[in-house]
Amino acid sequence: MELSASGLENAIVRLEPLCAAHRDLIFDSEIEASVWKWMPALPGGTSLSNYFKAMLAAQKSGLAVTFVLFLQSDNRFAGVTGFNEINKIHRRVRNALTWHPPDMTTPQLYQAGQHAMLKRAHDWRAKRMEWQLNTDNDYILRELDALAPTREALFRNYERTADGVWVDKEVFAMTRPEIADTIKRLEAELF
């Protein structure tokens, strides 16, 4: 099972691997207001076009996989999420990003997207899944708390965001048995 394989879904969301056909959907969303605050600076400048190209290039090279989320109930665009720091030898991945439109930011949506990501990581035979989060991102930190990963570290002045602010990052992770347990728990709670 490849991380980027199609067919990733559960009862709440469907995740499609990002492709050029998603460009207008992404560009017409409200994501750009969040990009500069939460995303790390990239070579080539801070434009949504640059970020979109970088996501496609990272996906093509196997360094990352970005998914576009859609609600199963009405097929509405529900955000983006993805993996980066993919290490096939050591079977570990990092949740690269998660963003939902502001009017859709609910615990159920976040958990449904993370359920799909955890399931894909588990099917890929991941030994470890990690989240590295800006310490000021209260929404994601609060939602991640419901998944109950282990807090492993605090990296001070870790990176510069696209808007030029140096941020601290908290690292959370789950090992393979914890991933399996969380998948089962989320299935019981969500579906």
Side-chain angles (χ1 to χ4, degrees):
M1 165 74 56
E2 287 298 319
L3 288 170
S4 61
S6 60
L8 182 55
E9 62 182 51
N10 56 39
I12 298 171
V13 292
R14 183 181 82 255
L15 287 71
E16 294 181 5
L18 180 74
C19 67
H22 293 118
R23 187 182 194 284
D24 288 344
L25 189 62
I26 299 294
F27 279 60
D28 291 343
S29 76
E30 298 175 65
I31 195 169
E32 189 166 13
S34 299
V35 168
W36 315 136
K37 185 173 182 178
W38 305 119
M39 297 293 286
L42 291 177
T46 55
S47 72
L48 191 54
S49 181
N50 184 44
Y51 272 83
F52 191 77
K53 287 177 192 172
M55 286 190 290
L56 289 175
Q59 191 154 295
K60 186 176 181 180
S61 68
L63 298 174
V65 177
T66 303
F67 293 100
V68 179
L69 287 83
F70 297 91
L71 294 180
Q72 293 281 35
S73 61
D74 60 9
N75 216 27
R76 274 189 301 151
F77 170 68
V80 295
T81 192
F83 297 111
N84 69 359
E85 302 297 325
I86 297 167
N87 189 311
K88 290 182 179 183
I89 294 171
H90 300 292
R91 307 312 290 180
R92 64 179 181 245
V93 295
R94 180 181 300 153
N95 188 292
L97 75 153
T98 299
W99 178 85
H100 302 295
D103 63 330
M104 299 176 83
T105 54
T106 66
Q108 184 185 40
L109 179 57
Y110 180 81
Q111 290 173 21
Q114 292 302 297
H115 168 268
M117 296 287 286
L118 288 164
K119 183 92 171 78
R120 178 54 55 90
H122 191 268
D123 291 347
W124 182 73
R125 299 185 327 275
K127 295 287 189 184
R128 172 186 173 85
M129 183 158 159
E130 179 180 290
W131 294 260
Q132 210 178 80
L133 301 172
N134 181 323
T135 58
D136 292 329
N137 194 336
D138 294 331
Y139 167 71
I140 297 294
L141 288 168
R142 183 177 56 253
E143 297 306 325
L144 185 64
D145 192 49
L147 300 182
T150 299
R151 183 181 185 269
E152 295 186 332
L154 173 66
F155 297 150
R156 296 173 299 145
N157 285 330
Y158 184 73
E159 68 188 4
R160 184 170 52 89
T161 62
D163 66 0
V165 176
W166 285 91
V167 297
D168 298 341
K169 289 283 188 107
E170 283 189 86
V171 178
F172 299 85
M174 288 184 187
T175 61
R176 187 167 179 77
E178 295 164 335
I179 293 169
D181 290 345
T182 303
I183 291 167
K184 287 178 190 171
R185 181 172 53 80
L186 288 174
E187 287 172 355
E189 292 172 4
L190 290 172
F191 314 126

